[in-house]
Amino acid sequence: MDDLKYGTRNKRGDWAPNGHQELPPYWAWPPKFLAVLKWLPEYIWPWNAFHIATALLYWRFVIPDVATMRTVSWGWALWLYAVNAAAIFLMYGSIELFYYVKRKQGTRFKYNGKFPAENPSDVFWFKSQNIDNFLRSFLISIPLWTLVEVLFLWVFANGWVPWLSWAQNPWYLAALVFFAPMIHEVHFFLIHRAMHWPPIYRWVHSVHHNSVNPSPWSSLSMHPVEAFLYHAVAFWHLVIPSNPIIALFQLHIAGFGAVNGHIGFDKLEITEDTPVDTHAYLHYLHHKYFEVNYGGDGLIPLDKWFGSWHDGSKEGDAQMQARFEKKKARMNAKRGAGA
Ligand SMILES: [Zn+2]
Ligand SMILES: [Zn+2]
Protein backbone atom coordinates (compact mmCIF):
# COMPACT_ATOMS: atom_id res chain seq x y z
CA MET A 1 0.00 0.00 0.00
CA ASP A 2 1.09 3.57 -0.59
CA ASP A 3 1.29 5.12 2.87
CA LEU A 4 1.78 8.60 1.40
CA LYS A 5 -1.87 8.60 0.37
CA TYR A 6 -2.71 8.53 4.08
CA GLY A 7 0.03 10.68 5.57
CA THR A 8 3.40 12.37 5.14
CA ARG A 9 7.01 11.41 5.84
CA ASN A 10 9.60 13.91 7.09
CA LYS A 11 13.34 14.07 6.38
CA ARG A 12 14.15 11.76 9.27
CA GLY A 13 11.86 9.14 7.78
CA ASP A 14 9.11 9.46 10.42
CA TRP A 15 5.61 9.01 9.05
CA ALA A 16 2.56 10.88 10.42
CA PRO A 17 -1.08 10.38 9.48
CA ASN A 18 -3.07 13.10 7.71
CA GLY A 19 -5.98 14.70 9.47
CA HIS A 20 -6.49 14.39 13.17
CA GLN A 21 -8.00 12.10 15.77
CA GLU A 22 -11.64 12.97 16.37
CA LEU A 23 -13.58 12.16 19.49
CA PRO A 24 -16.18 9.39 19.12
CA PRO A 25 -19.25 10.93 17.44
CA TYR A 26 -21.55 10.60 20.48
CA TRP A 27 -19.73 13.66 21.86
CA ALA A 28 -20.88 15.77 18.90
CA TRP A 29 -23.45 18.49 19.44
CA PRO A 30 -25.94 18.65 17.75
CA PRO A 31 -26.10 14.83 17.86
CA LYS A 32 -24.97 12.90 14.77
CA PHE A 33 -26.98 9.69 14.88
CA LEU A 34 -25.75 8.36 11.55
CA ALA A 35 -22.14 8.91 12.53
CA VAL A 36 -22.73 7.01 15.78
CA LEU A 37 -24.19 4.08 13.84
CA LYS A 38 -21.15 4.09 11.58
CA TRP A 39 -18.79 4.29 14.56
CA LEU A 40 -20.32 1.28 16.37
CA PRO A 41 -18.79 -1.45 14.16
CA GLU A 42 -15.29 0.00 14.46
CA TYR A 43 -15.76 0.28 18.25
CA ILE A 44 -16.41 -3.45 18.36
CA TRP A 45 -14.39 -4.75 15.42
CA PRO A 46 -11.70 -6.04 15.49
CA TRP A 47 -10.09 -5.26 18.85
CA ASN A 48 -12.94 -5.44 21.38
CA ALA A 49 -14.40 -8.45 19.55
CA PHE A 50 -11.01 -10.11 19.97
CA HIS A 51 -10.96 -9.41 23.73
CA ILE A 52 -14.50 -10.75 24.11
CA ALA A 53 -13.53 -13.86 22.16
CA THR A 54 -10.44 -14.51 24.29
CA ALA A 55 -12.45 -13.97 27.49
CA LEU A 56 -15.01 -16.56 26.34
CA LEU A 57 -12.30 -19.01 25.27
CA TYR A 58 -10.60 -18.63 28.65
CA TRP A 59 -13.87 -19.18 30.47
CA ARG A 60 -14.56 -22.34 28.48
CA PHE A 61 -11.09 -23.90 28.36
CA VAL A 62 -8.71 -22.26 30.83
CA ILE A 63 -10.43 -21.02 33.99
CA PRO A 64 -10.72 -23.83 36.60
CA ASP A 65 -14.07 -24.85 38.08
CA VAL A 66 -15.58 -22.84 40.90
CA ALA A 67 -14.83 -25.41 43.61
CA THR A 68 -11.09 -25.28 42.75
CA MET A 69 -11.04 -21.48 42.78
CA ARG A 70 -12.47 -21.27 46.32
CA THR A 71 -8.95 -21.89 47.61
CA VAL A 72 -5.93 -20.10 46.21
CA SER A 73 -3.19 -22.54 45.25
CA TRP A 74 0.00 -22.53 43.18
CA GLY A 75 -1.45 -25.17 40.86
CA TRP A 76 -4.10 -23.12 39.16
CA ALA A 77 -2.23 -19.83 39.60
CA LEU A 78 0.77 -21.18 37.67
CA TRP A 79 -1.52 -22.70 35.06
CA LEU A 80 -3.12 -19.27 34.47
CA TYR A 81 0.33 -17.67 34.29
CA ALA A 82 1.44 -20.25 31.72
CA VAL A 83 -1.58 -19.60 29.50
CA ASN A 84 -1.30 -15.81 29.80
CA ALA A 85 2.41 -15.93 29.03
CA ALA A 86 1.93 -18.28 26.06
CA ALA A 87 -0.90 -16.12 24.67
CA ILE A 88 1.16 -12.93 24.94
CA PHE A 89 4.18 -14.68 23.47
CA LEU A 90 2.07 -15.71 20.49
CA MET A 91 0.17 -12.48 19.98
CA TYR A 92 2.83 -9.84 20.71
CA GLY A 93 5.58 -12.15 19.46
CA SER A 94 4.02 -12.60 16.03
CA ILE A 95 3.53 -8.84 15.57
CA GLU A 96 7.15 -8.37 16.67
CA LEU A 97 8.36 -11.16 14.37
CA PHE A 98 6.58 -10.05 11.21
CA TYR A 99 6.82 -6.28 11.57
CA TYR A 100 10.03 -5.74 13.56
CA VAL A 101 12.27 -8.73 12.80
CA LYS A 102 11.24 -9.72 9.27
CA ARG A 103 9.97 -6.16 8.66
CA LYS A 104 7.45 -7.42 6.16
CA GLN A 105 6.02 -3.97 5.68
CA GLY A 106 9.32 -2.06 5.91
CA THR A 107 8.64 1.39 7.37
CA ARG A 108 5.31 1.86 5.63
CA PHE A 109 2.92 3.53 8.11
CA LYS A 110 5.71 3.53 10.74
CA TYR A 111 5.64 6.61 12.98
CA ASN A 112 9.32 6.44 13.88
CA GLY A 113 11.54 5.68 10.87
CA LYS A 114 14.00 3.75 13.05
CA PHE A 115 13.63 0.33 14.65
CA PRO A 116 14.49 -0.02 18.37
CA ALA A 117 17.09 -2.71 17.58
CA GLU A 118 19.13 -0.03 15.77
CA ASN A 119 19.53 2.06 18.95
CA PRO A 120 21.35 0.30 21.82
CA SER A 121 20.98 2.33 25.04
CA ASP A 122 22.27 2.18 28.60
CA VAL A 123 18.83 2.68 30.11
CA PHE A 124 17.89 -0.89 29.20
CA TRP A 125 18.86 -4.21 30.72
CA PHE A 126 21.64 -5.64 28.52
CA LYS A 127 21.53 -2.31 26.59
CA SER A 128 18.74 -3.75 24.46
CA GLN A 129 15.20 -2.39 24.43
CA ASN A 130 13.92 -5.71 23.08
CA ILE A 131 15.53 -7.94 25.73
CA ASP A 132 14.69 -5.50 28.53
CA ASN A 133 11.04 -5.11 27.51
CA PHE A 134 10.63 -8.84 26.92
CA LEU A 135 12.03 -9.83 30.31
CA ARG A 136 10.05 -7.21 32.21
CA SER A 137 6.84 -8.41 30.54
CA PHE A 138 7.33 -12.07 31.42
CA LEU A 139 9.01 -11.69 34.83
CA ILE A 140 7.02 -8.75 36.22
CA SER A 141 3.88 -7.71 34.38
CA ILE A 142 2.36 -11.05 33.37
CA PRO A 143 2.84 -12.50 36.91
CA LEU A 144 1.04 -9.43 38.33
CA TRP A 145 -1.69 -9.66 35.69
CA THR A 146 -2.13 -13.28 36.83
CA LEU A 147 -2.19 -12.23 40.48
CA VAL A 148 -5.08 -9.83 39.78
CA GLU A 149 -6.85 -12.61 37.88
CA VAL A 150 -6.43 -15.15 40.67
CA LEU A 151 -7.65 -12.65 43.28
CA PHE A 152 -10.88 -11.67 41.56
CA LEU A 153 -11.71 -15.27 40.56
CA TRP A 154 -11.15 -16.36 44.16
CA VAL A 155 -13.46 -13.60 45.45
CA PHE A 156 -16.19 -14.49 42.92
CA ALA A 157 -15.85 -18.21 43.62
CA ASN A 158 -16.38 -17.67 47.35
CA GLY A 159 -19.51 -15.62 46.78
CA TRP A 160 -18.11 -12.56 48.57
CA VAL A 161 -19.43 -10.27 45.82
CA PRO A 162 -22.54 -10.52 43.61
CA TRP A 163 -22.21 -12.93 40.67
CA LEU A 164 -25.05 -11.89 38.36
CA SER A 165 -26.41 -14.49 35.97
CA TRP A 166 -26.83 -13.84 32.25
CA ALA A 167 -30.32 -15.35 32.26
CA GLN A 168 -31.61 -12.92 34.87
CA ASN A 169 -29.71 -9.77 33.93
CA PRO A 170 -29.06 -9.95 30.16
CA TRP A 171 -29.48 -6.22 29.45
CA TYR A 172 -27.57 -4.97 32.43
CA LEU A 173 -24.63 -7.31 31.76
CA ALA A 174 -24.66 -6.52 28.03
CA ALA A 175 -24.45 -2.83 28.93
CA LEU A 176 -21.54 -3.57 31.25
CA VAL A 177 -19.72 -5.33 28.37
CA PHE A 178 -20.42 -2.32 26.18
CA PHE A 179 -19.05 0.15 28.73
CA ALA A 180 -16.01 -1.92 29.79
CA PRO A 181 -13.63 -0.20 27.30
CA MET A 182 -14.75 3.14 28.76
CA ILE A 183 -14.09 1.92 32.31
CA HIS A 184 -10.64 0.95 31.04
CA GLU A 185 -9.99 4.40 29.67
CA VAL A 186 -11.01 6.21 32.88
CA HIS A 187 -9.04 3.83 35.11
CA PHE A 188 -5.98 4.07 32.87
CA PHE A 189 -6.16 7.86 32.69
CA LEU A 190 -6.35 8.22 36.48
CA ILE A 191 -3.48 5.89 37.41
CA HIS A 192 -1.40 7.08 34.46
CA ARG A 193 -1.88 10.77 35.25
CA ALA A 194 -0.95 10.08 38.88
CA MET A 195 2.19 8.23 37.80
CA HIS A 196 3.34 11.30 35.88
CA TRP A 197 3.58 13.22 39.15
CA PRO A 198 7.39 13.74 39.28
CA PRO A 199 8.31 11.75 42.44
CA ILE A 200 6.25 8.73 41.34
CA TYR A 201 7.33 9.16 37.76
CA ARG A 202 11.01 8.81 38.58
CA TRP A 203 10.41 5.84 40.86
CA VAL A 204 7.79 3.93 38.84
CA HIS A 205 6.62 5.06 35.44
CA SER A 206 9.99 6.08 33.97
CA VAL A 207 10.61 2.35 33.39
CA HIS A 208 7.80 2.25 30.84
CA HIS A 209 8.93 5.51 29.25
CA ASN A 210 12.46 4.32 28.60
CA SER A 211 10.97 3.12 25.31
CA VAL A 212 10.67 6.39 23.43
CA ASN A 213 10.24 4.43 20.21
CA PRO A 214 7.93 1.64 21.44
CA SER A 215 7.52 -1.79 19.86
CA PRO A 216 5.05 -4.54 20.90
CA TRP A 217 7.33 -5.80 23.69
CA SER A 218 7.22 -2.30 25.22
CA SER A 219 3.50 -2.63 25.92
CA LEU A 220 3.82 -4.51 29.20
CA SER A 221 7.29 -3.30 30.10
CA MET A 222 6.43 -1.80 33.47
CA HIS A 223 7.56 -1.26 37.03
CA PRO A 224 5.76 -3.74 39.38
CA VAL A 225 3.65 -0.96 40.92
CA GLU A 226 2.41 0.12 37.51
CA ALA A 227 1.87 -3.46 36.32
CA PHE A 228 -0.35 -4.19 39.32
CA LEU A 229 -2.36 -0.95 39.20
CA TYR A 230 -2.82 -1.27 35.44
CA HIS A 231 -4.35 -4.75 35.59
CA ALA A 232 -6.28 -3.93 38.78
CA VAL A 233 -8.89 -2.34 36.49
CA ALA A 234 -10.61 -5.76 36.68
CA PHE A 235 -11.30 -5.15 40.39
CA TRP A 236 -13.99 -2.64 39.39
CA HIS A 237 -16.14 -5.72 38.79
CA LEU A 238 -15.89 -6.56 42.47
CA VAL A 239 -17.25 -3.10 43.27
CA ILE A 240 -20.04 -2.87 40.70
CA PRO A 241 -22.35 -5.91 40.58
CA SER A 242 -20.99 -7.98 37.69
CA ASN A 243 -19.97 -11.39 36.43
CA PRO A 244 -16.49 -12.98 36.31
CA ILE A 245 -16.56 -13.31 32.50
CA ILE A 246 -16.91 -9.54 32.21
CA ALA A 247 -14.11 -9.03 34.74
CA LEU A 248 -12.03 -11.32 32.52
CA PHE A 249 -12.96 -9.26 29.45
CA GLN A 250 -11.93 -6.13 31.37
CA LEU A 251 -8.60 -7.76 32.24
CA HIS A 252 -7.99 -8.75 28.61
CA ILE A 253 -8.68 -5.21 27.39
CA ALA A 254 -5.76 -4.24 29.65
CA GLY A 255 -3.41 -7.19 29.12
CA PHE A 256 -3.88 -8.00 25.45
CA GLY A 257 -5.03 -4.49 24.57
CA ALA A 258 -1.83 -2.87 25.85
CA VAL A 259 -0.25 -3.69 22.52
CA ASN A 260 -2.48 -1.24 20.66
CA GLY A 261 -0.67 1.89 21.76
CA HIS A 262 2.75 0.35 21.14
CA ILE A 263 2.56 -1.24 17.70
CA GLY A 264 4.44 1.70 16.20
CA PHE A 265 2.63 1.40 12.86
CA ASP A 266 -0.60 3.21 12.02
CA LYS A 267 -1.89 0.32 9.95
CA LEU A 268 -0.82 -3.30 9.78
CA GLU A 269 -1.04 -4.62 6.23
CA ILE A 270 -2.50 -8.05 6.91
CA THR A 271 -2.56 -8.60 3.16
CA GLU A 272 -1.68 -6.17 0.37
CA ASP A 273 -5.05 -4.41 0.58
CA THR A 274 -6.56 -5.33 3.95
CA PRO A 275 -5.04 -2.93 6.47
CA VAL A 276 -6.04 -3.04 10.14
CA ASP A 277 -6.05 0.24 12.04
CA THR A 278 -3.95 -0.06 15.17
CA HIS A 279 -5.22 3.02 17.10
CA ALA A 280 -1.59 3.54 18.15
CA TYR A 281 -0.96 7.17 17.23
CA LEU A 282 -2.23 8.98 20.33
CA HIS A 283 -0.21 6.79 22.67
CA TYR A 284 2.79 7.02 20.34
CA LEU A 285 2.57 10.81 20.80
CA HIS A 286 2.47 10.20 24.57
CA HIS A 287 5.77 8.28 24.36
CA LYS A 288 7.24 11.03 22.19
CA TYR A 289 6.10 14.10 24.19
CA PHE A 290 5.32 12.58 27.65
CA GLU A 291 2.80 15.23 28.77
CA VAL A 292 -0.04 14.61 26.32
CA ASN A 293 -2.65 11.89 25.87
CA TYR A 294 -2.68 10.16 29.24
CA GLY A 295 -5.85 8.31 28.29
CA GLY A 296 -6.86 6.47 25.12
CA ASP A 297 -8.91 7.29 22.05
CA GLY A 298 -11.21 9.68 23.91
CA LEU A 299 -14.14 7.33 24.61
CA ILE A 300 -14.34 9.36 27.81
CA PRO A 301 -12.22 12.35 26.74
CA LEU A 302 -10.51 13.21 30.02
CA ASP A 303 -7.46 14.52 28.15
CA LYS A 304 -9.66 16.98 26.34
CA TRP A 305 -11.29 18.12 29.59
CA PHE A 306 -7.95 18.52 31.38
CA GLY A 307 -6.21 20.19 28.44
CA SER A 308 -3.70 17.44 27.63
CA TRP A 309 -5.29 16.21 24.38
CA HIS A 310 -3.02 16.06 21.31
CA ASP A 311 -5.06 15.03 18.29
CA GLY A 312 -2.05 14.61 15.99
CA SER A 313 -2.66 17.81 14.00
CA LYS A 314 -0.53 20.95 13.64
CA GLU A 315 -3.01 22.76 15.91
CA GLY A 316 -2.62 20.00 18.49
CA ASP A 317 1.13 20.54 18.33
CA ALA A 318 0.80 24.31 18.72
CA GLN A 319 -1.49 23.90 21.75
CA MET A 320 1.00 21.54 23.36
CA GLN A 321 3.92 23.93 22.73
CA ALA A 322 1.93 26.82 24.21
CA ARG A 323 1.23 24.71 27.30
CA PHE A 324 4.94 23.84 27.64
CA GLU A 325 5.91 27.54 27.33
CA LYS A 326 3.42 28.48 30.04
CA LYS A 327 4.74 25.78 32.32
CA LYS A 328 8.32 26.94 31.75
CA ALA A 329 7.35 30.55 32.56
CA ARG A 330 5.62 29.36 35.75
CA MET A 331 8.68 27.40 36.85
CA ASN A 332 11.00 30.34 36.10
CA ALA A 333 8.75 32.71 38.07
CA LYS A 334 8.82 30.29 41.01
CA ARG A 335 12.60 30.05 40.82
CA GLY A 336 12.86 33.88 40.62
CA ALA A 337 10.67 34.29 43.69
CA GLY A 338 12.69 31.75 45.65
CA ALA A 339 16.03 33.40 44.90
ZN1 LIG B 1 3.02 3.21 26.68
ZN1 LIG C 1 3.17 7.85 30.62
Side-chain angles (χ1 to χ4, degrees):
M1 280 180 87
D2 182 5
D3 60 354
L4 295 178
K5 277 190 192 147
Y6 299 86
T8 49
R9 182 168 279 106
N10 69 14
K11 279 194 210 113
R12 272 199 309 261
D14 301 345
W15 183 90
N18 286 334
H20 62 278
Q21 173 81 31
E22 302 222 23
L23 290 186
Y26 50 80
W27 292 107
W29 190 261
K32 292 184 181 161
F33 294 111
L34 260 177
V36 174
L37 281 181
K38 264 202 202 142
W39 162 86
L40 269 176
E42 62 190 80
Y43 176 57
I44 296 164
W45 189 262
W47 298 102
N48 282 322
F50 175 78
H51 302 316
I52 292 174
T54 59
L56 290 172
L57 284 172
Y58 264 62
W59 192 252
R60 176 79 183 73
F61 298 108
V62 180
I63 304 295
D65 55 52
V66 176
T68 309
M69 296 193 295
R70 283 200 191 112
T71 345
V72 173
S73 80
W74 283 106
W76 63 277
L78 286 174
W79 158 244
L80 290 183
Y81 171 78
V83 178
N84 291 335
I88 285 295
F89 186 80
L90 256 169
M91 180 190 179
Y92 289 18
S94 46
I95 301 177
E96 194 76 47
L97 177 67
F98 288 118
Y99 296 91
Y100 282 78
V101 180
K102 297 192 182 231
R103 301 187 189 174
K104 81 180 202 87
Q105 135 175 1
T107 54
R108 286 196 300 284
F109 297 104
K110 192 166 184 319
Y111 305 130
N112 188 317
K114 288 217 159 61
F115 285 86
E118 295 160 7
N119 290 53
S121 160
D122 282 336
V123 300
F124 296 114
W125 288 347
F126 308 106
K127 294 195 183 198
S128 156
Q129 178 175 326
N130 287 332
I131 299 176
D132 174 282
N133 289 180
F134 179 88
L135 289 177
R136 283 182 193 276
S137 303
F138 287 87
L139 299 179
I140 297 170
S141 298
I142 301 173
L144 288 163
W145 156 353
T146 311
L147 174 68
V148 168
E149 191 171 23
V150 167
L151 287 176
F152 77 69
L153 288 170
W154 173 63
V155 170
F156 271 114
N158 280 288
W160 294 327
V161 294
W163 177 331
L164 303 186
S165 82
W166 292 90
Q168 278 165 8
N169 310 276
W171 291 106
Y172 170 75
L173 291 181
L176 215 49
V177 170
F178 184 82
F179 288 117
M182 300 175 194
I183 296 176
H184 175 83
E185 183 156 349
V186 173
H187 177 89
F188 179 57
F189 180 93
L190 293 176
I191 61 156
H192 189 192
R193 185 68 195 81
M195 287 187 302
H196 271 266
W197 184 51
I200 305 186
Y201 180 84
R202 276 193 296 275
W203 172 48
V204 174
H205 190 49
S206 58
V207 168
H208 182 67
H209 272 286
N210 284 337
S211 309
V212 184
N213 177 14
S215 86
W217 291 135
S218 312
S219 318
L220 291 175
S221 173
M222 297 172 181
H223 184 280
V225 172
E226 173 169 6
F228 183 77
L229 289 177
Y230 178 68
H231 293 101
V233 63
F235 290 154
W236 283 107
H237 295 269
L238 303 178
V239 181
I240 35 182
S242 187
N243 174 293
I245 303 181
I246 304 179
L248 203 56
F249 170 48
Q250 190 79 63
L251 186 68
H252 287 192
I253 295 174
F256 292 114
V259 79
N260 285 99
H262 306 94
I263 288 181
F265 292 84
D266 202 57
K267 293 180 196 299
L268 294 182
E269 298 169 5
I270 302 299
T271 70
E272 184 61 22
D273 27 43
T274 34
V276 167
D277 282 328
T278 59
H279 299 261
Y281 196 49
L282 293 187
H283 194 70
Y284 171 77
L285 291 175
H286 177 73
H287 276 262
K288 190 169 174 195
Y289 298 122
F290 299 91
E291 292 175 33
V292 294
N293 300 344
Y294 298 104
D297 282 355
L299 294 172
I300 307 289
L302 289 158
D303 279 300
K304 193 119 189 170
W305 298 338
F306 287 100
S308 49
W309 178 249
H310 188 325
D311 65 1
S313 67
K314 283 209 176 70
E315 296 74 46
D317 227 53
Q319 275 167 15
M320 176 185 74
Q321 293 303 346
R323 217 156 38 84
F324 288 176
E325 288 301 320
K326 249 202 219 150
K327 190 174 165 188
K328 231 197 275 163
R330 241 188 359 248
M331 306 254 283
N332 284 339
K334 240 196 224 163
R335 228 172 273 146

